[in-house]
């Protein structure tokens, strides 16, 4: 899941992608970074800083690596050409609890992409059976 905010911290949109059978945390985070770029494109954002709570993925995006998710990293690096300026940085999970909660809620859905524009999604409405607080 990803949340997009403007430079002043105002909410622009959120999205989540559910991929059946994918459970590797590092691969999931790489896919989340890819989804962040897709959301930024959907919102016509040209300058973005993408924060991830997975230091390994950030290091891999800022360097060269061969891993189980190298194809996703290659796709991200190619997508970076769609932007004027794009960067990736590490932030602890506590810095983005809402995106984590959306990801956890979306994991209960079938495969696919969900997009929320206008207002931040109400987690209780996304997956009311989950206790996310």
């Amino acid at each position: 899941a990803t949340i997009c905010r403007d430079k002043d911290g105002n909410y622009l949109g959120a999205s989540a992608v559910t991929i059946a059978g994918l459970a590797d945390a590092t691969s999931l985070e790489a896919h989340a970074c890819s989804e962040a770029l897709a959301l930024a494109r959907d919102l016509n954002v040209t300058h973005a800083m993408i924060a991830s709570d997975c230091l390994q993925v950030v290091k891999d995006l800022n360097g060269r690596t061969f891993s189980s998710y190298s194809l996703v990293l290659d796709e991200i690096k190619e997508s970076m050409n769609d932007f004027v300026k794009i960067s990736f940085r590490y932030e602890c999970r506590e810095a983005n609890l809402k995106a984590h909660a959306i990801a956890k809620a979306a994991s209960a859905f079938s495969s696919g992409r969900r997009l929320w524009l206008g207002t931040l999604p109400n987690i209780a409405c996304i997956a009311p059976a989950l206790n996310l607080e």
Side-chain angles (χ1 to χ4, degrees):
T2 185
I3 295 175
C4 185
R5 299 183 186 280
D6 67 16
K7 62 182 169 74
D8 298 318
N10 299 311
Y11 173 83
L12 298 175
S15 62
V17 174
T18 307
I19 304 169
L22 185 59
D24 174 64
T26 312
S27 295
L28 285 166
E29 192 64 25
H31 280 282
C33 289
S34 179
E35 179 56 24
L37 290 176
L39 178 61
R41 273 192 307 276
D42 289 345
L43 295 169
N44 295 314
V45 171
T46 59
H47 296 70
M49 187 284 303
I50 298 178
S52 170
D53 65 1
C54 183
L55 183 58
Q56 186 61 53
V57 170
V58 173
K59 284 181 178 180
D60 292 345
L61 283 167
N62 291 320
R64 303 272 318 147
T65 188
F66 297 100
S67 66
S68 61
Y69 54 92
S70 291
L71 291 175
V72 179
L73 296 176
D74 291 345
E75 177 183 300
I76 291 169
K77 289 176 182 179
E78 181 65 29
S79 293
M80 290 169 66
N81 293 323
D82 296 339
F83 298 88
V84 173
K85 183 174 181 177
I86 195 84
S87 63
F88 294 87
R89 77 174 187 199
Y90 169 77
E91 285 186 358
C92 64
R93 178 173 288 174
E94 290 74 25
N96 205 352
L97 291 175
K98 289 183 180 177
H100 180 68
I102 293 169
K104 188 173 181 180
S107 70
F109 293 140
S110 60
S111 295
R113 182 177 193 230
R114 278 106 186 141
L115 183 64
W116 297 275
L117 303 174
T119 59
L120 192 62
N122 180 337
I123 302 302
C125 292
I126 295 173
L130 295 176
N131 182 6
L132 299 174
E133 298 304 322

